[in-house]
Amino acid sequence: MTTIKNRNIAAAFMPNRHHYWYARIKLSTDPLYAGVADALKGDSEPLLDLGCGIGLLAHALHARGHVSEFLGVDIDRRKIESARAAALKANLRGTRFETLDLSSAFPPHHGSVTMLDVLQFVRPDAQAGLIDAAIDALTPRARLVIRTGLHRDHWRMSVTRAADRVSRWTRWMNTAPQRYPNREELEAHFARRGLQATFRPLHGRLPLENWLIVATHVQAPGG
């Protein structure tokens, strides 16, 4: 995204200067939003963003012309308040944000689902259940888009663990990183649920072990 667009998106978070600078830096350095926009290209299904934070994805998608109905949920009430205020200021129509603890509830939804930099913060015994709930929410042609670190022996994994611990230490995240899934487990899980998935690195210039996963229902021949 261009510098001007990034600045305009970030301006919606003023007068919260912390969120303003977070948005500017995140949008200019992290390939996440462009990657998700590409993954959702041509998808007009309502979108549920799990662990939406301050709602940056909604702004980034609108800036790229993706204007389907959007619901973002997050456990952090202060982030949700900031997301609502910024969406109102930016006039993001069809966009809602709700405070929700995904460990105790899952929002009613039928459409596509994003889960970005969230899975590794979920308790190991709850990760599969959260993925299943997201899959259950998918409509036949919808997409499940996940970004997460994938467990493997690599220096990027060590950096990712450290970065996620810093997120907890600074209280940006409410929990410390729990467990990073591995690719084989996720592929097997998707296959059991009748989904096919693509995996590609999405770290850009950042020294992080980030992968973008896009899972869709296997379409029957002629379907």
Side-chain angles (χ1 to χ4, degrees), residues 132-146:
D132 277 332
I135 292 173
D136 289 341
L138 299 177
T139 48
R141 298 188 181 277
R143 302 167 197 176
L144 170 58
V145 182
I146 298 173

Side-chain angles (χ1 to χ4, degrees), residues 151-204:
H151 177 72
R152 61 174 183 151
D153 293 327
H154 194 277
W155 65 266
R156 287 184 181 275
M157 191 73 257
S158 298
V159 176
T160 300
R161 291 181 188 279
D164 285 342
R165 291 192 187 103
V166 169
S167 294
R168 171 55 178 160
W169 181 73
T170 59
R171 298 186 180 180
W172 182 251
M173 298 298 293
N174 287 318
T175 61
Q178 303 290 308
R179 176 181 178 271
Y180 297 85
N182 67 58
R183 178 169 178 167
E184 292 75 18
E185 288 178 354
L186 289 176
E187 287 178 327
H189 193 145
F190 293 140
R192 287 193 299 269
R193 294 300 310 270
L195 273 66
Q196 57 189 4
T198 60
F199 291 70
R200 71 177 180 90
L202 192 70
H203 45 70

Side-chain angles (χ1 to χ4, degrees), residues 17-112:
R17 295 189 63 82
H18 175 67
H19 287 173
Y20 168 83
W21 282 109
Y22 173 84
R24 285 199 62 175
I25 294 170
K26 187 76 170 173
L27 290 168
S28 62
T29 61
D30 194 338
L32 173 63
Y33 304 103
V36 174
D38 289 342
L40 292 174
K41 190 173 182 179
D43 183 353
S44 59
E45 297 292 293
L47 180 61
L48 169 64
D49 186 19
L50 302 175
C52 65
I54 61 173
L56 271 182
L57 179 63
H59 294 263
L61 291 178
H62 272 259
R64 288 174 171 267
H66 189 280
V67 292
S68 65
E69 182 181 342
F70 184 103
L71 170 62
V73 299
D74 198 282
I75 193 174
D76 192 321
R77 177 183 54 80
R78 292 173 299 178
K79 289 180 182 177
I80 290 298
E81 290 173 352
S82 182
R84 287 172 175 167
L88 182 63
K89 185 178 291 188
N91 194 29
L92 301 188
R93 297 179 180 178
T95 299
R96 296 182 296 120
F97 295 97
E98 301 292 340
T99 304
L100 183 69
D101 181 355
L102 290 169
S103 68
S104 60
F106 194 90
H109 178 72
H110 298 286
S112 291

Side-chain angles (χ1 to χ4, degrees), residues 187-219:
E187 287 178 327
H189 193 145
F190 293 140
R192 287 193 299 269
R193 294 300 310 270
L195 273 66
Q196 57 189 4
T198 60
F199 291 70
R200 71 177 180 90
L202 192 70
H203 45 70
R205 298 179 180 179
L206 300 174
L208 302 172
E209 179 64 12
N210 285 333
W211 289 74
L212 189 71
I213 306 163
V214 182
T216 57
H217 285 290
V218 175
Q219 297 294 325

